[in-house]
Each structure stands twice: as structure tokens, then as C-alpha cells.
Amino acid sequence: MKVLSALTALLAAGVASAFVPAPMGTRAVTRTNMAAEGEFYIDEERRFLMNLILAGSAAVTVGGLAIPYIAFFVPPGAGGGGGGIPAKNALGDDLMAKAYLEEKPAGDRSLAQGLKGDATYLIVKDDKTLESYGLNAVCTHLGCVVPWSAANNKFMCPCHGSQYAPDGHVVRGPAPLPLALAHCDTGDDGKIMFSPWTETDFRTGGKGWWN
């Protein structure tokens, strides 16, 4: 009987020990380690993102400073063929050199739409070819469009009396400056082309005032 009681007591003690919770210290240490590992992982991601943002900001700043500095040492393109646009008539149609010269007499100065949409004179030389430059028709006094007077062989502004020679230099004020120049060429497709005149103004020997 005593043996049976002893066995029953041992069995009860074993069952009870199965439901005893683990010590709090061990569980707390485990959770702390897991939290520390997660925190370390999050910090690594945050650090990488911040480094990426800083690197990008630095690149943008350096690029913004470097580009104008480099561009300062790059010479501008030479005048002539670059940046050309077709000359157009009053209807907005491209002017073809062959057809234009067939209908215009030698010495003719007629208006076409030129650079920036400005009225520009096409000049037909005595040999029935186009002059290598066109003349902007805008008066340098107050901006009137200056008509060509064939009878007087000069441009005469009706607004305030300014007059220009056949090549556009001033022969009578109040206009202070010559008419602006533009290159005039014939493209490979036969169109009359205007392009910016960036060289020396052959009439004054100096830089063109329009540049």
C-alpha cells in the first residue's frame, strides 16, 4: 500500500511539473535578442537609404555647378550653315531658290519671313543669283518695317525718316544702327535658307549689334 502511494505521488509530481512555466529570465533574454536583431536590420536599411539620398543630392549639386563652368570654356558655334530655317512667303510656304529667281529681276529686294519670324529682305544680285546675306527689315530706331525704294536705291523708313544704303548701313538718322544681317543660302533641297549671322559685320568692321 505504501509502495502504491509512493508511485501515485511521483506520477502526480511529474504531471504537475509539465505545466510549470519556463523561468521569466530565459524568455526575456530571448525576446531582447530578437528585438535587437530586428532593430539592427531596420537601422541598416535606414542607413543605406540616407546614404543614397545624400549621394544623389551631392551629385545634383556638383552637376549644377560643373555644367555652367564647363560650358564657359566651350566656344560658340560658328555662323553660317548651322541653325538654318527656310525662308517663307506671305502665305507661309517655303521659297524655292530656282522658282524665286525666275520671277524676280536683278537688283530686286523683296520681303520674306526670316529668323524669329522677322520680315527679311532677299537680295537678287545683278548676275541673277541670291546675295549671301539677307537684311532684317525692322528699323533700328523704333521698330518700323522699312520699305525698299528702288527709285532712290535705298531703304527709306516712313515713320521718322531714317534711311539705309542697299547693304543696310545707315545713311541718314535718327536710326543709330545698321539693319541686322542674316546668312542666306540655298539648301540641298533647293530651298532658300536663313541662318544667324554671328561673324563680324562687314559694314562696320565690328561685332553685329544683334548678337
Side-chain angles (χ1 to χ4, degrees), residues 17-94:
S17 65
F19 292 96
V20 175
M24 291 298 295
T26 304
R27 188 173 300 175
V29 170
T30 303
R31 288 179 178 173
T32 301
N33 290 340
M34 291 177 64
E37 290 178 2
E39 201 171 296
F40 177 76
Y41 178 73
I42 293 172
D43 286 345
E44 283 295 313
E45 281 191 341
R46 189 175 300 158
R47 186 177 294 112
F48 175 76
L49 181 61
M50 291 301 295
N51 287 341
L52 194 62
I53 293 172
L54 287 173
S57 300
V60 171
T61 303
V62 172
L65 294 173
I67 290 174
Y69 180 79
I70 295 171
F72 178 81
F73 294 97
V74 177
I85 64 166
K88 298 180 182 295
N89 61 20
L91 299 176
D93 300 323
D94 294 343

Side-chain angles (χ1 to χ4, degrees), residues 161-189:
S162 298
Q163 297 181 9
Y164 304 84
D167 65 359
H169 75 264
V170 178
V171 294
R172 175 180 170 181
L177 298 165
L179 298 176
L181 295 169
H183 282 282
C184 182
D185 303 287
T186 301
D188 295 337
D189 54 2

Side-chain angles (χ1 to χ4, degrees), residues 41-151:
Y41 178 73
I42 293 172
D43 286 345
E44 283 295 313
E45 281 191 341
R46 189 175 300 158
R47 186 177 294 112
F48 175 76
L49 181 61
M50 291 301 295
N51 287 341
L52 194 62
I53 293 172
L54 287 173
S57 300
V60 171
T61 303
V62 172
L65 294 173
I67 290 174
Y69 180 79
I70 295 171
F72 178 81
F73 294 97
V74 177
I85 64 166
K88 298 180 182 295
N89 61 20
L91 299 176
D93 300 323
D94 294 343
L95 291 173
M96 307 301 293
K98 182 179 179 181
Y100 185 85
L101 292 170
E102 286 176 352
E103 68 177 58
K104 299 294 183 182
D108 181 77
R109 284 164 172 77
S110 295
L111 288 172
Q113 181 177 313
L115 300 173
K116 300 180 181 178
D118 286 348
T120 303
Y121 281 102
L122 289 169
I123 302 171
V124 181
K125 297 191 292 185
D126 291 338
D127 61 358
K128 287 282 287 181
T129 61
L130 283 171
E131 185 60 83
S132 61
Y133 61 86
L135 292 172
N136 192 308
V138 177
C139 182
T140 58
H141 179 222
L142 290 178
C144 300
V145 174
V146 183
W148 167 250
S149 174

